[in-house]
Amino acid sequence: MRVLLTSWGSRGDVEPLAGLAVALREMGAGVRVCAPPDEEFAELLARAGVPLVPLGPTVRSVVAGPRPPTAEDAFRLAPELVAARFTTLGTAARGCDALLATGLMPAGARDVAEKLGIPYVLACFHTLGLPSQNVPPGSRPGRRSAPGETDNRVLWEQDAQRVNGLYREALNSHRTAIGLPPVDNVRDHVLTGRPWLAADATLCPSRGMTDLDVVQTGAWILPDDRPLPAGLAAFLDAGAPPVYVGFGSMAAHAPEGIARVAVEACRALGRRVVLARGWAGLSPVDDGDDCFVVGEVNQQALFRRVAAVVHHGGAGTTTTAARAGAPQVVVPRIADQPYWASRAAELGIGAAHYDRTPTVGSLSAALATALTDETRARAKAVAGTIRPDGAMVAAKLLLDAAGRNAG
């Protein structure tokens, strides 16, 4: 049995596929992964024992510039990714028994599977883009809804029109070229009526969040047994647990001056800092010995040894911190990040800092909440409820679907 997994997006979109790939290989399946050709993604997949089949441009070239991507950038990128999926997936999927896609609206993936006659699954790591009568859609490039519009049915219809504006012309052109009929609603075509939700049920309950028949597998976690670097281990051993501060691959969206603000906020509370460079290239504000800078590191091990985690609110970082029992301060910027911030606050495992421009005072206040005994106790309790087997659940479902199709 052979499976093709694909994504185009940040590390939070690629690392779960590596976790799923490990589970599939443990079950004896062959796995191919098509993902952006960023160097760190290739290294990530190498840890899972799976080579990277390059798909589209690097993510870093799109999001790590001096400014956030614009709507014009999105309208240029969308048809480029559609073309890349038809070309790259069309080749990589030959001989495969199933295709699973995730990440930025993977228009083109289902179409390749349809042409080859193999099962297709759309997976997501949150419910933000799934139509719901109870929750409005997030923002997308395209024509805005009328001010004051509150009918979710209308808002989701307009969301579908925005997706069509980005993808439909390119998608249908490529479908015609391989002998498939055109698609009217690209969003619903990509999502299917039964998408998979690769998120923990405690952190991201699906009930009431979407009208679709969601299959919730649990989070896909890539096991990490790498030791912490010697210098970091020595820093951790040298004093009380520090506060971790990192914003991952949110280079263009990291709050301005966040390194200085975070270090000073931690110092105001008498805490040392582990500062993650990330794509934003965060660096120390001075040569104080109470701040240690790290690059790529085993967060699963590190988060078990910190007093709190200050981060942007990506699904992966939120889940890793929650599994480690580490209190969180979430400073959301875009997409699903405000949702994860709200869940951390609702669950009592941390604090949400919704102001997009943290100050030393505001971040200190949020940290003070996260560092209370009550929050730490709650974080430890919630950690025990998070299931570690989501990738294995998904692997079994995917291979079952492939087997039924083959039979």
Side-chain angles (χ1 to χ4, degrees), residues 58 81 139 149 180 183 200 221 284 295 302 308 342 347:
T58 64
L81 289 178
S139 62
E149 179 61 74
L180 296 176
V183 167
D200 184 79
I221 298 165
L302 176 57
S342 69
L347 289 167

Side-chain angles (χ1 to χ4, degrees), residues 181-340:
V183 167
D184 180 55
N185 185 319
V186 175
R187 185 198 65 198
D188 292 356
H189 171 75
V190 170
L191 295 179
T192 77
R194 204 162 191 255
W196 290 7
L197 177 58
D200 184 79
T202 297
L203 298 176
C204 184
S206 61
R207 186 174 182 180
M209 298 300 292
T210 177
D211 303 334
L212 302 181
D213 183 19
V214 168
V215 177
Q216 187 156 18
T217 64
W220 302 344
I221 298 165
L222 175 64
D224 196 342
D225 58 2
R226 294 174 297 164
L228 295 175
L232 174 58
F235 179 80
L236 294 170
D237 291 338
V243 171
Y244 171 93
V245 177
F247 285 82
S249 54
M250 300 304 299
H253 294 281
E256 184 176 354
I258 187 59
R260 179 192 62 79
V261 169
V263 170
E264 292 185 10
C266 292
R267 285 173 173 169
L269 297 174
R271 295 285 179 170
R272 302 184 302 154
V273 185
V274 172
L275 184 66
R277 292 189 191 90
W279 284 8
L282 302 186
S283 59
V285 296
D286 53 38
D287 58 0
D289 61 4
D290 60 347
C291 180
F292 191 93
V293 179
V294 297
E296 218 297 291
V297 71
N298 181 347
Q299 290 185 339
Q300 295 173 24
L302 176 57
F303 287 1
R304 291 195 291 267
R305 300 194 58 184
V306 300
V309 176
V310 178
H311 64 100
H312 57 297
T317 308
T318 303
T319 302
T320 302
R323 286 186 71 225
Q328 310 182 40
V329 174
V330 185
V331 186
R333 306 290 287 176
I334 61 170
D336 58 316
Q337 296 168 9
Y339 171 79
W340 296 109

Side-chain angles (χ1 to χ4, degrees), residues 94-155:
R94 292 172 188 164
C96 289
D97 301 287
L99 192 162
L100 179 143
T102 188
L104 180 67
M105 186 59 64
R110 180 177 182 177
D111 316 275
V112 168
E114 181 182 348
K115 182 65 177 180
L116 295 174
I118 60 175
Y120 160 83
V121 174
L122 183 283
C124 50
F125 306 119
H126 51 77
T127 59
L128 185 69
L130 305 182
S132 169
Q133 60 183 331
N134 300 319
V135 182
S139 62
R140 295 189 201 271
R143 184 177 180 181
R144 295 185 178 183
S145 299
E149 179 61 74
T150 59
D151 187 329
N152 285 333
R153 291 171 298 181
V154 173
L155 294 174

